[in-house]
Amino acid sequence: MKKIYLPILLLTLAVSSCDTFDKVPSSEWPSEGAIKTLEDLQFAVNGVYESQTSSIDAGTNPRGSYAGDFFLYADQRGSDFKAIGSNKQTVDVYAYQATKNSSDSYYFYKRFYLSLARINKVLEGVKKSGLEGAEVDVQVGELYALRALFHFDLARLFAKLPCNAQASDPGIVLSTEVFESGYTAERATIAKTYETILDDLKTALDNLPETSKVVTAGHIDYWGARALRARAYLYMNENSKALEDAKYVIEKSPYKLYTRDEYETVWTKVGSSESIFEFLITSLYNAQRNSLGFYTHAEGYAEAGITEGFKTFLQERPEDVRSTLIAEESDGGDNEGWYIQKYPGRDGEIYVNNPKVIRLSEVYLIAAEAALKAGGADPASYINDLRKQRIADYEDVASVTIDDILTERRLELYGEGHNAWDTWRNKKAVTNAQVPAGPINYDDYRTVMPIPVSEINVSNGKLKQNEGY
């Protein structure tokens, strides 16, 4: 009989009124003997991945995950997307209406800290099990890489970007161990937050082999961890280090840029040539009506359509294959408009789309931006290499500006969770048609989400709210 991993460590955590999401107590987990074999460990690690693909709240709520809300967050807040539908599932995000009582903040916070708690419990179980060996090291490496990713994305949501902050500014609560019931935590500084992210990535890289591409769909490998570190360094304005990591992935990894001919076909595929890390979404594990497909199509919630300006921007580039991934859609009602076509669903299921968290094209763009900012390198070469695989009859350019690079990111990565953060990271303002009060500058308090009031209330005064809320 096939073993199911859910009973081992992928359980729904019933957080009591005296416990907060960032410190789920060990009493909520199964006994110390939960991990005894490598197979136990592998199923437990699978459970960590699954925690970001489907429901929380006793299996009833799919909000806040990479499979839906979170992955579209920076696009919905950016300049190119707009809500066409009127369901207002994510209105606090796209209209910048979040308050300390907002459900979006609550579910982002809850989702990520429950995933982190699972990681820490599995790591504790590994230590107690005495398991050793190369295969165990790989599982441990994946856990550290995921812990770094989840902390990084929590920090993007709930703290200032490090390139726009002082080192002593508040970061996030760090979840790096299993906490006892009643423990209350404070927010680490920005400096400590990113130091912890980098420490976990180093541990991940020390445990993961760099010899080959990941063989298990939906798992992160050495190259995913190294690409994530390049992204983190870029956000930290550590551009020479970002360039070093990006170059290494480009030159050494087995991943290859999509060709122009295959670009339109890759979005329904699992583990395509350029996708360094993606979460595996299936008909059993998905975000249902809060999924990428349901948000980005007229027959769904239609809360991630595209603006007239972005449609025109793409249509002005007919020689660029990336301009083809939009279409006019109608549900026969009020949801008529233009939508991206990156999330058509697999096997006829609109809910089933893998979020491509890290693609090789992003690594080329990281290299270009880092090279430009660090100086002494050739940023144009990375842009030229990427454009050759996207634009018919392309001719190389001799130089690029930061605006050229941001335009390339806008073309390549739309609908993949980058736009608003790319803008603010470069100290620019987002102009969002759904915010009539004007542009959202990089130092606007609304670029950061509020800490949920439920967390503030049970922290014994230790957890401080973000300014403006």
Side-chain angles (χ1 to χ4, degrees), residues 227-295:
L228 176 60
R229 191 169 70 176
R231 183 194 288 176
Y233 278 138
L234 189 71
Y235 273 70
M236 297 170 69
N237 213 25
E238 294 276 1
N239 294 302
S240 294
K241 293 178 180 178
L243 178 59
E244 180 182 356
D245 276 341
K247 284 180 63 177
Y248 198 84
V249 173
I250 291 167
E251 294 172 2
K252 303 290 186 180
S253 84
Y255 296 91
K256 304 298 180 185
L257 288 175
Y258 301 141
T259 67
R260 189 175 187 277
D261 289 339
E262 66 186 350
Y263 193 82
E264 294 177 86
T265 70
V266 298
W267 305 99
T268 57
K269 295 180 180 179
V270 175
S272 49
S273 64
E274 189 181 304
S275 184
I276 298 177
F277 172 54
E278 59 189 58
F279 281 99
L280 180 62
I281 310 301
T282 70
S283 58
L284 292 177
Y285 298 111
N286 59 73
Q288 302 164 41
R289 288 175 177 259
N290 298 100
S291 65
L292 296 174
F294 214 71
Y295 281 131

Side-chain angles (χ1 to χ4, degrees), residues 159-412:
K160 295 178 182 178
L161 301 183
C163 51
N164 296 336
Q166 300 295 318
S168 59
D169 283 344
I172 58 171
V173 173
L174 297 173
S175 181
T176 57
E177 60 185 284
V178 177
F179 296 103
E180 295 300 322
S181 180
Y183 172 82
T184 57
E186 298 180 49
R187 297 171 69 174
T189 63
I190 289 284
K192 183 62 177 177
T193 295
Y194 282 85
E195 176 187 327
T196 301
I197 291 166
L198 294 176
D199 284 347
D200 276 355
L201 287 171
K202 183 180 185 306
T203 302
L205 292 170
D206 287 344
N207 279 272
L208 293 167
E210 66 171 277
T211 53
S212 64
K213 184 176 179 177
V214 66
V215 294
T216 305
H219 285 244
I220 193 167
D221 62 10
Y222 175 93
W223 306 107
R226 188 108 187 209
L228 176 60
R229 191 169 70 176
R231 183 194 288 176
Y233 278 138
L234 189 71
Y235 273 70
M236 297 170 69
N237 213 25
E238 294 276 1
N239 294 302
S240 294
K241 293 178 180 178
L243 178 59
E244 180 182 356
D245 276 341
K247 284 180 63 177
Y248 198 84
V249 173
I250 291 167
E251 294 172 2
K252 303 290 186 180
S253 84
Y255 296 91
K256 304 298 180 185
L257 288 175
Y258 301 141
T259 67
R260 189 175 187 277
D261 289 339
E262 66 186 350
Y263 193 82
E264 294 177 86
T265 70
V266 298
W267 305 99
T268 57
K269 295 180 180 179
V270 175
S272 49
S273 64
E274 189 181 304
S275 184
I276 298 177
F277 172 54
E278 59 189 58
F279 281 99
L280 180 62
I281 310 301
T282 70
S283 58
L284 292 177
Y285 298 111
N286 59 73
Q288 302 164 41
R289 288 175 177 259
N290 298 100
S291 65
L292 296 174
F294 214 71
Y295 281 131
T296 58
H297 290 289
E299 64 269 33
Y301 283 138
E303 293 195 1
I306 63 172
T307 64
E308 185 70 21
F310 189 53
K311 181 196 77 170
T312 301
F313 170 81
L314 292 173
Q315 290 180 333
E316 289 173 342
R317 295 164 168 79
E319 74 288 350
D320 192 323
V321 69
R322 295 170 294 193
S323 69
T324 65
L325 291 179
I326 59 170
E328 190 172 19
E329 297 180 7
S330 174
D331 66 337
D334 296 332
N335 290 352
E336 183 175 353
W338 284 78
Y339 298 85
I340 67 170
Q341 304 299 302
K342 289 183 175 181
Y343 306 115
R346 290 201 308 277
D347 302 322
E349 296 184 79
I350 193 173
Y351 301 156
V352 182
N353 297 277
N354 285 6
K356 300 182 190 301
V357 179
I358 306 171
R359 289 199 288 122
L360 186 62
S361 55
E362 185 199 348
V363 181
Y364 273 81
L365 292 162
I366 289 171
E369 185 174 339
L372 180 69
K373 292 176 176 178
D378 181 15
S381 65
Y382 298 105
I383 298 299
N384 288 330
D385 287 347
L386 179 58
R387 287 176 178 169
K388 286 173 185 175
Q389 302 299 336
R390 304 291 184 261
I391 302 173
D393 301 318
Y394 176 73
E395 295 183 5
D396 286 356
V397 296
S399 63
V400 292
T401 66
I402 189 61
D403 287 335
D404 293 329
I405 294 168
L406 290 177
T407 294
E408 208 65 30
R409 290 185 70 91
R410 189 182 176 199
L411 279 164
E412 182 68 36

